[in-house]
Amino acid sequence: MITWMQKHKKYLVITIWISTIAFVGAGFVGWGAYDMNNNRAKSVAKVGDRSISIQEFQQTYSELYAYYSNLSNGQFTQEKADEMGLDKIALDKIIQDTMLLNFADSLGLSVTNEDMIATIIADKNFQVNGKFDRATYEEALRRSRISPKDYENGLKNKILLNKLFSALNLKANTEDIDMLGSSYFMQDRVSIQVLKADKTSVSIDENELKELWEKTKNNYLTKAKYDMDTTFIEPVKVDANETVLMEFYEENRGEYRDSSDKLLSFTDALESVKKDFALKNTRKFALEEYLKIKKGESNPTSSMSVLEDSIEFPVAELKDAKAGDVLKPFEYKNGYLIVKLKTVATPQVMSYEEAKANVIKEYEKIKSKGALEAKAKSMVDTFNGTDIGFISRDTRKSVNGLSDAEFLEFVMRLFETTNKKGYIVLEDKAVIYNIMEQKLLDSNKIKEYNELLTKNADAIKNGQLGQDLLMALQKRYDVELYYKR
């Protein structure tokens, strides 16, 4: 902020807590169908002197798919991958990597068999009891449906890229670290005033409300509904002696714990053991009835419907089912339920009347936020705020009118602006601010976070180097695409 920030603004757009640097391509690939020329049928593209095989592309795609799936806790689907153009992202990435591999070739860098073998042996995924195990290695590749030859060729490329990055690695100097530390640990003495949104004064214009619904109606969907025929299998009564129950307890003792996660004794767990033992035996009867229903030898005994957000019914059991499917029995209300799915009503856009109550809430939120922003804007030059002292990006303090989370958001956004005076709109509040004084370099903070600052400064310099290098390589190496948009 203020003069110093204007002078060094390119350093202020940096996300401080960097974990990885991603090279963003220029979108120089297309997408569509293979060019089936016999000389090129095994490749998706050629970059410089290197061809990119179909297998290499598929492997890169799979790695990216797994990455996004992990980010979304398994909710990433093929449909979402298609929507975001994951195939094009994968091709962009592998073309960038291949440009860098060409450059590494031109520098005389290479990978020996010894380099590759050392990497494989050191990989813990292929070790048993701390030592490389060939059977484990081959089984892992088999499960991944990749041949040792293809895996080792891909590994050589990764090792070569690592050698290139090591050769090009830049180290931050003291000035870099001080500049980055100053941008993060600068302190502003700030005066603020907190305004709250007035939701009670919002009057509703029916025409505006309908217009808002038209623009956002895809946000208002009915809930998926499952209609099904069912048979409930009551828990069977099992007359088991203590010896049988003890054997069952020993087999499953890890399941019986108290509120402190300590194992329960057989005596303390006995009632739960009886219940679980009966449930286990109930499953046998449930599976027999399931097979009869599936073969048409028996019919469900009742019907029910549930919505996708039901908290009383295990809706996850129905997730992948289709109309007509008979589902294997699953635990339900201390027994087992067999389901024959009749229909699945998928979510539909609500009518205006159905969505109206929710649209009104959004309308009131937009209107009150607009009025709040207008009020804050009109007060910037004349407000008389409260001096909260010096704050920096890592400041934590209690401020009247703001929760801890709201204060942290205010601080984060304050240090992103270059305005000495202004306002910041939060969820239902606005904070008018005036920066009265500023301290730049905090030597104590620089020392405290020196290791982290050094790593981030190194990453920033090398990230910028990587982007500049890729731009230069795009001009040096021709790209032939055999798989086009």
Side-chain angles (χ1 to χ4, degrees):
M1 294 172 284
I2 318 178
T3 307
W4 186 92
M5 296 181 71
Q6 294 291 346
K7 182 177 179 182
H8 300 288
K9 61 183 179 181
K10 75 173 183 176
Y11 287 93
L12 299 177
V13 298
I14 296 163
T15 300
I16 301 298
W17 307 112
I18 296 173
S19 59
T20 58
I21 294 295
F23 297 151
V24 180
F28 41 70
V29 301
W31 202 253
Y34 281 113
D35 175 348
M36 297 307 290
N37 182 301
N38 287 334
N39 294 326
R40 306 182 291 196
K42 294 184 179 180
S43 302
V44 295
K46 184 178 181 183
V47 181
D49 296 327
R50 284 176 171 256
S51 293
I52 301 172
S53 70
I54 296 171
Q55 192 279 331
E56 288 177 293
F57 160 70
Q58 291 173 335
Q59 182 65 25
T60 301
Y61 182 93
S62 297
E63 289 171 357
L64 287 173
Y65 190 97
Y67 170 76
Y68 285 110
S69 182
N70 288 334
L71 281 183
S72 62
N73 293 320
Q75 300 301 307
F76 190 68
T77 63
Q78 188 60 55
E79 182 180 357
K80 291 179 180 178
D82 293 341
E83 287 177 1
M84 71 182 292
L86 187 62
D87 42 14
K88 181 181 180 297
I89 295 172
L91 193 53
D92 278 349
K93 181 182 184 304
I94 199 167
I95 285 177
Q96 291 174 18
D97 287 349
T98 307
M99 285 185 174
L100 293 168
L101 290 169
N102 274 277
F103 183 58
D105 293 339
S106 71
L107 294 178
L109 298 176
S110 63
V111 177
T112 65
N113 286 333
E114 287 73 18
D115 293 331
M116 183 188 65
I117 292 170
T119 302
I120 293 174
I121 290 175
D123 193 327
K124 294 183 179 180
N125 293 309
F126 307 140
Q127 294 179 356
V128 175
N129 296 325
K131 293 184 179 181
F132 174 74
D133 182 74
R134 187 170 188 81
T136 301
Y137 170 67
E138 292 175 348
E139 175 62 17
L141 297 188
R142 187 191 65 78
R143 288 199 307 268
S144 300
R145 298 180 182 178
I146 182 172
S147 70
K149 179 180 178 182
D150 287 336
Y151 175 76
E152 289 162 11
N153 285 338
L155 184 59
K156 283 184 177 180
N157 287 341
K158 290 179 181 179
I159 295 171
L160 184 56
L161 286 176
N162 286 335
K163 286 191 175 186
L164 175 63
F165 295 145
S166 295
L168 299 177
N169 188 36
L170 297 179
K171 295 295 183 182
N173 56 37
T174 302
E175 183 180 352
D176 296 327
I177 296 169
D178 286 347
M179 190 170 293
L180 187 60
S182 294
S183 71
Y184 189 80
F185 296 118
M186 67 170 61
Q187 298 181 26
D188 289 340
R189 183 181 168 203
V190 184
S191 172
I192 68 169
Q193 181 175 339
V194 179
L195 304 178
K196 293 184 178 180
D198 183 6
K199 298 179 181 179
T200 60
S201 64
V202 176
S203 59
I204 297 175
D205 182 309
E206 192 73 17
N207 291 328
E208 289 183 348
L209 195 65
K210 287 183 178 179
E211 185 179 341
L212 176 61
W213 173 74
E214 284 290 347
K215 290 179 180 178
T216 62
K217 60 184 179 182
N218 288 333
N219 296 335
Y220 304 101
L221 303 177
T222 60
K223 296 168 184 174
K225 181 182 177 184
Y226 301 90
D227 293 321
M228 49 199 165
D229 293 326
T230 63
T231 294
F232 180 68
I233 308 297
E234 297 277 356
V236 299
K237 294 181 179 179
V238 180
D239 186 17
N241 59 42
E242 187 170 304
T243 301
V244 173
L245 293 175
M246 175 63 82
E247 288 177 357
F248 182 81
Y249 165 77
E250 290 296 338
E251 290 173 1
N252 303 277
R253 65 183 303 160
E255 302 296 322
Y256 302 107
R257 298 175 180 274
D258 62 15
S259 58
S260 302
D261 202 37
K262 292 182 180 179
L263 289 173
L264 292 171
S265 67
F266 173 70
T267 301
D268 292 336
L270 184 57
E271 291 306 313
S272 295
V273 171
K274 288 179 179 179
K275 178 181 174 182
D276 292 344
F277 185 76
L279 200 59
K280 177 184 177 182
N281 284 274
T282 303
R283 179 172 171 77
K284 297 176 184 177
F285 292 98
L287 286 171
E288 290 174 2
E289 185 62 21
Y290 156 74
L291 291 174
K292 290 178 182 178
I293 294 174
K294 192 169 184 180
K295 293 176 181 178
E297 298 172 358
S298 181
N299 294 313
T301 57
S302 60
S303 298
M304 66 188 300
S305 299
V306 296
L307 298 176
E308 63 179 334
D309 61 348
S310 172
I311 59 175
E312 297 179 351
F313 188 92
V315 180
E317 300 287 348
L318 310 175
K319 183 179 178 183
D320 299 318
K322 302 184 292 294
D325 287 352
V326 180
L327 308 186
K328 287 185 177 181
F330 52 84
E331 290 185 34
Y332 180 68
K333 293 186 176 179
N334 296 324
Y336 278 91
L337 191 69
I338 303 168
V339 167
K340 183 174 183 180
L341 195 58
K342 291 196 294 186
T343 60
V344 181
T346 56
Q348 304 293 323
V349 174
M350 291 181 180
S351 67
Y352 173 68
E353 290 301 326
E354 289 175 319
K356 188 172 182 179
N358 289 325
V359 179
I360 287 175
K361 291 179 182 177
E362 185 63 23
Y363 178 87
E364 290 176 339
K365 181 178 176 181
I366 292 171
K367 286 292 185 179
S368 62
K369 202 164 188 175
L372 177 66
E373 184 168 2
K375 182 178 180 180
K377 186 175 182 179
S378 69
M379 294 175 60
V380 167
D381 293 328
T382 58
F383 90 102
N384 184 21
T386 301
D387 185 350
I388 63 172
F390 282 99
I391 61 173
S392 62
R393 292 176 190 266
D394 61 344
T395 297
R396 305 288 185 271
K397 65 165 56 181
S398 296
V399 173
N400 190 33
L402 295 176
S403 67
D404 291 345
E406 288 169 338
F407 178 74
L408 289 176
E409 182 180 354
F410 164 69
V411 171
M412 177 186 71
R413 293 172 59 183
L414 176 68
F415 281 94
E416 290 174 352
T417 183
T418 58
N419 299 320
K420 183 179 182 296
K421 283 186 175 183
Y423 62 90
I424 291 171
V425 179
L426 307 176
E427 181 65 22
D428 59 353
K429 297 174 185 176
V431 183
I432 310 171
Y433 68 85
N434 178 28
I435 299 174
M436 301 181 292
E437 191 179 345
Q438 187 177 68
K439 295 179 182 178
L440 292 181
L441 190 62
D442 185 334
S443 58
N444 291 328
K445 289 286 187 180
I446 298 292
K447 290 178 181 177
E448 181 180 354
Y449 291 98
N450 185 265
E451 183 178 354
L452 182 60
L453 289 169
T454 301
K455 288 181 180 179
N456 283 309
D458 288 348
I460 291 165
K461 293 186 77 168
N462 285 287
Q464 187 62 54
L465 171 65
Q467 292 182 38
D468 292 345
L469 177 59
L470 278 172
M471 290 180 66
L473 296 182
Q474 287 174 32
K475 298 175 183 178
R476 177 182 295 190
Y477 300 116
D478 293 331
V479 178
E480 295 180 39
L481 294 176
Y482 312 141
Y483 198 95
K484 300 180 180 178
R485 181 174 297 151

